[in-house]
Amino acid sequence: MVPPVQVSPLIKTARWSALIVGIIYGKFRYDNLKPIAEEERRIEEEEKKVREEKERIAKQLAEAIVEINLEVSCPK
């Protein structure tokens, strides 16, 4: 095996600097996107409630229509 190459201190410093800058940028970006994501989740939850209510009403209407059709087609 070949012995490891001595890495320049400038390259080491550049790598660590890039890592630290990336971490700082990620934290900054996360802090900016977090409130937007929370708002989107809140809106989605409200829309889901409305959608479920509409589905419940549609299901009740469909059941009522089936009952009416059964009563009309098979009177007692």
Side-chain angles (χ1 to χ4, degrees):
M1 277 200 142
V2 181
V5 177
Q6 183 73 21
V7 179
S8 166
L10 178 65
I11 293 175
K12 286 183 181 180
T13 303
R15 287 178 177 173
W16 281 102
S17 298
L19 177 65
I20 292 169
V21 168
I23 291 171
I24 292 170
Y25 172 77
K27 174 71 172 132
F28 176 76
R29 184 78 173 140
Y30 175 78
D31 289 342
N32 284 337
L33 293 177
K34 186 176 180 182
I36 295 170
E38 288 173 353
E39 180 68 16
E40 288 174 351
R41 280 192 296 272
R42 185 188 62 78
I43 291 170
E44 181 65 31
E45 185 176 316
E46 290 174 1
E47 290 173 351
K48 182 180 178 184
K49 288 178 184 177
V50 170
R51 185 175 58 247
E52 287 174 349
E53 182 68 17
K54 286 181 181 180
E55 289 172 357
R56 185 185 63 78
I57 292 170
K59 185 177 179 181
Q60 287 177 344
L61 285 173
E63 289 172 357
I65 289 172
V66 168
E67 284 181 19
I68 291 172
N69 286 339
L70 288 176
E71 288 175 3
V72 170
S73 63
C74 302
K76 291 181 180 180

